[in-house]
């Protein structure tokens, strides 16, 4: 059915959203990006390489490298934390998958988009095949994150709630925007890149916790890169892939907030709402783990001295994480029972604590069974309260108002550095953390952004 | 938010839809397929090769071959109507794009899915890299079409109306199912293939009429093939990618008809509702063109003798095709003004009549301006009435009750053969139509299905 565009006042008002965004992508300069946003871009990249190094040898990635590797045209681009090289489309996909496989990557709070993986991966792959300075890459990254998150804002929260994996569905636009900028495309071609991305938006929440999820995240990175490469050759898209009558926004949500895409463009920046996880878990568990780690430090009580653990938090916490009987590390990432028990028992909450081995520990399983939830409807998702009920009858309570890693209590630069060091070691690829960190913090001064990828590659066997 | 699967009676009822479909894909034998459906599969393949030969040198395809070709791992698979070879993922994408680029491909009437392109393209690419008999390919094609169209039935009509390009969004499941069957995957791995496909479902109606559309259709073919290749290596998907709480069906439509996926499985066949277009236009124009061609034959009247043309039809006809001022052949495919004028003027309605050159003809434009619509709310979309109002005052009316190419008046085998002959010549690749037709009609007897691709390839330069 055709809708008369002129007769619909809403349509008229929104006409040109894609064009406005495309012009912003094509014309914004590094000098236009405020200092705090520039620094946040570097922080996001430190986090990106940390999580990509951790994920590089996960079984999902091993299998993907095996299959995707059979369809590699050349060896122009490297894989983070691995020895293989591959073509840039495959590198974009596989590196994005590695960075997201543990759900330990960054989170744009208003949308729950993990923007780092789909936007950074294609940019670094491009940098290995064409001259791209550190400053150019950082600018393109800032703009790609901006595009992905603004489009996400326009369709949130319905889009994710309905079941679309927003990191993938909006990530492909971010990747296309970033690569378009990095290649210096004009506004018209940048709009085509968004149009070519719109034909590739997909990914389902139902796949989370399974290997399939990674395909969607990899496709966002690969598809965005392909979208921009095609646009550069004159492969033309629709005028209004976002705001059109049958465009992405109306497919994605019943009542999209179309203005969210252009309002405050160049003044408000999505990276300011980007956060980094301290623990490899669903974000709602962050305050719970903070509380349990504090209780571990402060009480040092033996596990069999604990009769029960009471957990008070936002109803969403119970709804998302009341999973008493998990069987794998992947499932444990969204289990309050496991998170509480392991943090109390070990005083740590890293990847090793959310492994299959950790889940199999009978002491952890026994303690998890002694967890009781209670809802605190007035609370925020960033707060939680944990009470140890001891066999002596004593009660010890720890309340966290703003979880570590939230916007109110962000990880500082030192904590992000520590995360990269720990995850580089966890990944076991033999990548030296210090030179990589030094390069990332000074990336704006690098004449060739590809140097980062050489530092992030696993050393070749001697 | 978690939904308690057991507490929701609808969920309980539908549990296992993916599993049931996967078992059907894995276990159905050629002997289980009724004779009429077997023959319809061959007819669909004749139509597929006809349209792929026509599209193989369209500017969209030329550009796509240029960019995709830079990312080709090997030359195992050929392109219909072209000389280049590429790897099987690229061949799946590019051949599906060629077959769909003119919207001249097949149509599953209940869903408006064009199933041939996304399902046939990956199967023939696979056949060029692994032993696959004609019978095995035909069986896999039947099952792939079945999967795509049944999933489409479950989400129609809302899904397409909302703006999702159903050929792409459901085609990826069809491609995955077909390739899973052709590779002989077990039911569990076939379900994983559907899950891996679910992470890749996308494509927007907004892109129709632009080059971007082809990316979505190509991705459906490529993504489905990739989904099955990954599943074969143990790349595992979710239990319920279709019917799950955040699965495809609930993302795709507010109230999906989940039972449509399994009801009558093995008794009712989607291919029985598949049709083939006589003209390279939106299907609603079919009866209009039939009427105009008949008027041309029967009246032979000079264009300047026509004062006006009256067109009576279903309101959808006017809503979709009232486009008086089109600028390109692509736009002309959905313009009643152009279709009426060119059919009356030339007595033909093939690809040449819907080219940019045909659109630029001032006589055609002038006649198009003399078209008047009137709605016939009680009519069917397969009927239309065209009246010539001559300058003499005389009126000549032609009414078509069931358009050529509709389910009520399908193209017969001879008409499909003529379509392939005409489009092979139009494509200009020098592919000989007769050996290709002979091979397709006897494909069930071929020990190696890849022989078809060799016949459909453009001969190498001498």
């Amino acid at each position: 059915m055709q809708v008369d565009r002129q007769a619909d006042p809403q349509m008229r008002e929104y006409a040109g959203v894609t064009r406005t965004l495309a012009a912003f992508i094509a014309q914004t300069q590094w000098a236009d990006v405020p200092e705090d946003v520039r620094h946040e871009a570097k922080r996001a990249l430190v986090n990106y390489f940390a999580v990509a190094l951790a994920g590089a040898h996960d079984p999902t990635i091993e299998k993907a490298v095996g299959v995707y590797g059979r369809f590699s045209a050349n060896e122009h681009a490297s894989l983070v934390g691995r020895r293989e090289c591959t073509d840039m489309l495959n590198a974009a996909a596989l590196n994005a998958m590695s960075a997201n496989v543990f759900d330990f990557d960054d989170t744009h709070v208003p949308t729950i988009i993990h923007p780092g993986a789909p936007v950074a991966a294609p940019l670094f792959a491009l940098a290995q095949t064409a001259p791209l300075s550190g400053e150019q890459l950082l600018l393109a990254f800032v703009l790609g994150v901006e595009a992905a998150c603004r489009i996400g804002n326009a369709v949130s929260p319905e889009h994710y709630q309905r079941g679309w994996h927003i990191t993938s569905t909006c990530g492909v636009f971010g990747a296309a925007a970033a690569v378009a900028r990095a290649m210096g495309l004009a506004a018209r071609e940048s709009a085509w890149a968004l149009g070519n991305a719109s034909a590739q938006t997909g990914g389902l929440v139902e796949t989370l916790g399974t290997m399939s999820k990674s395909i969607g995240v990899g496709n966002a990175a690969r598809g965005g890169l392909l979208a921009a490469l095609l646009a550069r050759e004159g492969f033309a898209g629709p005028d209004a892939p976002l705001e059109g009558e049958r465009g992405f926004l109306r497919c994605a949500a019943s009542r999209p907030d179309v203005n969210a895409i252009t309002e405050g463009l160049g003044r408000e920046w999505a990276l300011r709402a980007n956060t980094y996880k301290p623990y490899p878990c669903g974000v709602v568990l962050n305050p719970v783990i903070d509380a349990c780690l504090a209780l571990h430090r402060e009480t040092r009580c033996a596990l069999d001295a604990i009769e029960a653990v009471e957990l008070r938090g936002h109803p969403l916490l119970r709804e998302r994480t009341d999973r008493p009987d998990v069987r794998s590390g992947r499932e444990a990432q969204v289990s309050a029972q496991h998170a509480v028990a392991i943090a109390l028992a070990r005083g740590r909450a890293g990847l090793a604590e959310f492994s299959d081995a950790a889940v199999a520990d009978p002491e952890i399983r026994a303690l998890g069974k002694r967890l009781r939830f209670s809802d605190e409807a007035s609370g925020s998702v960033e707060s939680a309260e944990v009470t140890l009920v001891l066999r002596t009858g004593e009660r010890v309570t720890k309340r966290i108002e703003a979880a570590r890693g939230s916007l109110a209590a962000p990880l500082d630069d030192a904590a992000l550095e520590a995360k990269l060091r720990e995850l580089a070691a966890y990944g076991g690829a033999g990548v030296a953390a210090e030179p990589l960190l030094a390069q990332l913090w000074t990336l704006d001064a690098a004449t060739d952004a590809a140097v980062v990828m050489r530092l992030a590659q696993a050393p070749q066997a001697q």
Side-chain angles (χ1 to χ4, degrees), chain A:
Chain A
M1 230 116 344
Q2 295 301 315
V3 175
D4 181 346
R5 190 182 280 266
Q6 292 310 314
D8 178 345
Q10 212 194 21
M11 295 300 306
R12 209 165 43 231
E13 183 181 342
Y14 296 142
V17 160
T18 298
R19 223 170 293 173
T20 304
L21 181 62
F24 178 73
I25 292 161
Q27 290 155 13
T28 300
Q29 302 297 321
W30 187 232
D32 302 326
V33 180
E35 180 52 37
D36 67 313
V37 177
R38 293 178 180 197
H39 187 65
E40 202 60 44
K42 291 182 190 172
R43 286 164 48 82
L45 292 181
V46 169
N47 190 74
Y48 165 75
F49 280 96
V51 290
L53 286 167
H57 288 279
D58 181 83
T60 296
I61 305 304
E62 295 288 359
K63 277 192 203 295
V65 169
V67 175
Y68 286 47
R70 281 153 49 194
F71 300 96
S72 176
N74 56 54
E75 303 196 335
H76 294 169
S78 58
L79 300 179
V80 176
R82 300 187 62 103
R83 287 183 187 145
E84 300 93 335
C85 286
T86 179
D87 67 42
M88 68 167 158
L89 288 180
N90 277 319
L94 292 166
N95 287 325
M97 289 163 129
S98 291
N100 175 264
V101 69
F102 289 125
D103 292 308
F104 203 0
D105 41 345
D106 53 352
T107 306
H108 175 250
V109 174
T111 58
I112 334 180
I113 289 175
H114 306 301
V119 178
L123 282 177
F124 281 103
L126 181 73
Q128 293 192 287
T129 62
L132 196 65
S133 74
E135 186 181 298
Q136 289 172 320
L137 186 142
L138 282 162
L139 173 59
F141 180 73
V142 168
L143 295 171
V145 171
E146 198 65 29
C149 295
R150 282 177 172 270
I151 295 169
N153 280 333
V155 299
S156 288
E158 183 192 342
H159 183 61
Y160 188 90
Q161 282 170 353
R162 182 184 275 264
W164 293 104
H165 187 217
I166 194 167
T167 292
S168 301
T169 58
C170 293
V172 70
F173 292 108
V179 175
R181 184 67 183 97
M183 296 195 311
L185 298 194
R188 187 181 66 155
E189 283 73 20
S190 299
W192 288 347
L194 294 172
N196 292 337
S198 80
Q200 306 185 72
T201 175
L204 301 184
V205 176
E206 190 72 22
T207 63
L208 300 195
T210 77
M211 292 182 170
S212 295
K213 176 199 72 169
S214 291
I215 306 176
V217 175
N219 275 0
R222 181 190 188 280
L225 175 51
L226 179 64
L229 291 172
L230 285 165
R232 184 171 62 177
E233 304 302 324
F235 204 90
D239 288 338
L242 298 172
E243 73 276 24
E245 300 138 27
R246 298 284 180 277
F248 176 68
L249 300 181
R250 286 177 174 72
C251 284
S254 316
R255 277 174 300 278
D257 177 10
V258 184
N259 284 328
I261 292 178
T262 51
E263 221 165 56
L265 207 52
R267 287 197 317 276
E268 291 155 25
W269 297 87
L271 273 168
R272 286 181 178 147
N274 206 29
T275 58
Y276 312 97
K277 289 185 185 177
Y279 318 116
C281 302
V283 284
V284 287
L285 285 173
N286 284 354
V288 177
I289 294 172
D290 282 349
C292 292
L293 293 178
L295 287 165
H296 173 89
R297 271 195 312 274
E298 294 165 14
T299 68
R300 296 275 167 192
C301 84
L303 297 194
D304 56 10
I306 302 173
E307 180 164 317
V309 183
E310 292 174 3
L311 175 51
R312 260 178 86 72
H314 190 279
L316 217 60
L317 173 64
R318 180 182 47 75
E319 288 165 13
R320 294 219 174 154
T321 69
D322 179 11
R323 302 195 190 207
D325 236 340
V326 296
R327 296 159 298 174
S328 70
R330 201 55 48 89
E331 280 186 275
Q333 295 178 331
V334 283
S335 164
Q337 282 83 358
H338 180 80
V340 162
I342 200 93
L344 286 172
R346 306 208 181 154
R348 291 175 44 87
L351 284 168
E353 285 70 41
F354 290 87
S355 63
D356 292 352
V359 166
D361 182 337
E363 221 184 10
I364 300 301
R365 299 180 79 85
L367 181 55
K369 287 196 200 309
R370 306 207 287 276
L371 182 71
R372 302 183 203 134
F373 277 93
S374 65
D375 285 358
E376 185 179 65
S378 62
S380 114
V381 287
E382 292 181 350
S383 67
E385 190 178 291
V386 178
T387 301
L388 303 186
V389 183
L390 303 182
R391 299 210 190 272
T392 60
E394 196 191 345
R395 297 171 60 91
V396 192
T397 294
K398 188 79 195 178
R399 185 169 180 88
I400 301 290
E401 290 300 343
R404 261 188 96 213
S406 70
L407 277 176
L411 296 196
D412 62 16
D413 292 357
L416 282 171
E417 291 198 353
K419 183 173 174 180
L420 187 143
R421 285 187 197 103
E422 186 189 326
L423 297 190
Y426 181 88
V431 169
E434 303 311 324
L436 178 57
L437 282 167
Q439 187 59 65
L440 286 169
W441 291 128
T442 57
L443 185 56
D444 43 346
T447 52
D448 177 9
V451 66
V452 176
M453 289 303 284
R454 290 190 286 275
L455 293 172
Q457 204 174 355
Q460 299 301 316
Q462 294 303 313

